[in-house]
Amino acid sequence: MMNIEEIIKLVTELAITYSPKIFGAAVIAFVGFWIIGKATKMLAKMLEKQKIDDSLRPFLVSLTNMTLKVLLVLSIFNVLGIQMTSFIAILGAAGLAVGMALSGTLQNFAGGVIILIIKPFKVGDVIQAQGFTGVVKEIQIFNTILKTPDNQTIIIPNGGLSNASMTNFSTEPYRRVDLTVGVGYGDSTQKTRAVLNDIIAQDKRILQEPAPPFIALAELADSSINFTVRLWVKSSDYWGVTFDMNEKIYNRFNEEGLNIPYPQMDVHIHKND
């Protein structure tokens, strides 16, 4: 067993050997953490000036802060003389395994970042994506939450949402209402057009810009004469005008004696004598 003198001698030798390294590592740690704190604050201010989304800024600042601290710790280990080759190899293998296991989650994470940066839609927009239509209630880092017209909550992973086709109904201030109105053969096309124009003129939500109302005889179908009606309205009035026009046309056609045909089948019965 070592006696006290040998222990003191060993401690002294270790102190002489490692004191400069420990002091240097302490200085690097102090200065490094101070610089990282300043850098992350500057990054946060820069992102705020660039008007980056509120939900994305904290994430980017935290990710940058964590990455810089990991690099600083690795530098401190290097100053202390700790061999990092084996450590980095183990860390890389572990990172690869975790990345493969969480590939779907990482894809959704990347998709969320892309959505928050590019902003193909924002909270409050009405979109159609992945077979669902609804109002965007929240854009999270992994998922986007929609609220459907019948009050269902739909959670869509951001990975597929950022890589697939998506329709944003709220991007433009105006939308076009397209209607197909059928009348029976034998009814006057001039009267039909006049009635449609009168119905349209009474609805103040229907606009003259970007284009005035359009009515044209589009098709001579099997059992009806089909008119195409195109109306420009504010995006917020789209569904209201659509529903109201259908009801007004039906009621007015009945009043005016215009027939709205429907498929019919004539059955002839032959009696054999």
Side-chain angles (χ1 to χ4, degrees):
M1 294 181 63
M2 299 177 62
N3 54 35
I4 296 178
E5 293 181 357
E6 291 175 340
I7 294 174
I8 294 174
K9 182 179 179 180
L10 178 60
V11 171
T12 303
E13 291 176 353
L14 291 174
I16 294 173
T17 303
Y18 290 102
S19 289
K21 294 183 179 180
I22 294 174
F23 178 77
V27 171
I28 292 174
F30 177 80
V31 175
F33 282 112
W34 182 81
I35 292 175
I36 290 173
K38 292 291 184 181
T40 51
K41 288 181 181 179
M42 290 177 60
L43 176 63
K45 291 181 179 179
M46 183 184 69
L47 294 176
E48 185 176 359
K49 288 182 179 179
Q50 294 295 324
K51 297 182 179 180
I52 301 299
D53 193 274
D54 292 340
S55 58
L56 180 60
R57 287 204 305 267
F59 166 76
L60 292 177
V61 172
S62 299
L63 181 63
T64 303
N65 184 275
M66 181 179 64
T67 302
L68 292 176
K69 285 181 178 179
V70 170
L71 294 175
L72 177 61
V73 171
L74 294 177
S75 300
I76 293 171
F77 284 170
N78 187 56
V79 170
L80 291 174
I82 299 175
Q83 295 295 326
M84 298 300 298
T85 305
S86 300
F87 177 77
I88 292 175
I90 295 173
L91 186 63
L96 178 62
V98 172
M100 293 178 65
L102 301 177
S103 58
T105 302
L106 294 176
Q107 183 183 9
N108 293 332
F109 168 79
V113 173
I114 292 172
I115 290 172
L116 290 171
I117 293 176
I118 300 178
K119 294 184 178 180
F121 54 84
K122 63 182 184 297
V123 173
D125 285 356
V126 178
I127 67 171
Q128 184 180 61
Q130 304 293 304
F132 300 100
T133 300
V135 179
V136 179
K137 287 299 181 182
E138 189 175 352
I139 304 173
Q140 299 178 347
I141 201 64
F142 294 108
N143 305 297
T144 293
I145 299 176
L146 301 184
K147 187 73 72 174
T148 63
D150 57 348
N151 206 35
Q152 295 184 49
T153 298
I154 307 297
I155 301 174
I156 303 178
N158 286 333
L161 191 59
S162 64
N163 294 322
S165 299
M166 181 269 300
T167 302
N168 189 336
F169 296 106
S170 302
T171 302
E172 300 296 333
Y174 307 111
R175 288 187 65 184
R176 194 179 74 186
V177 176
D178 292 343
L179 300 173
T180 299
V181 180
V183 295
Y185 281 98
D187 288 337
S188 171
T189 58
Q190 290 81 5
K191 183 177 181 180
T192 302
R193 187 186 299 271
V195 171
L196 290 173
N197 277 320
D198 187 52
I199 295 172
I200 292 169
Q202 294 179 22
D203 196 324
K204 302 303 181 183
R205 295 170 297 178
I206 297 173
L207 308 174
Q208 297 297 317
E209 297 292 339
F214 173 84
I215 302 173
L217 201 163
E219 183 184 14
L220 301 176
D222 292 339
S223 58
S224 65
I225 300 173
N226 294 333
F227 283 82
T228 293
V229 180
R230 295 173 179 170
L231 312 169
W232 283 96
V233 298
K234 292 181 179 179
S235 295
S236 58
D237 292 332
Y238 177 84
W239 289 112
V241 171
T242 300
F243 297 146
D244 288 347
M245 286 297 294
N246 284 328
E247 184 175 358
K248 290 176 181 178
I249 290 171
Y250 176 79
N251 291 332
R252 186 68 180 276
F253 276 22
N254 283 334
E255 294 173 2
E256 299 290 341
L258 294 171
N259 297 307
I260 300 178
Y262 51 89
Q264 300 182 53
M265 178 182 294
D266 292 333
V267 179
H268 300 274
I269 299 175
H270 297 278
K271 294 183 178 180
N272 295 323
D273 292 335

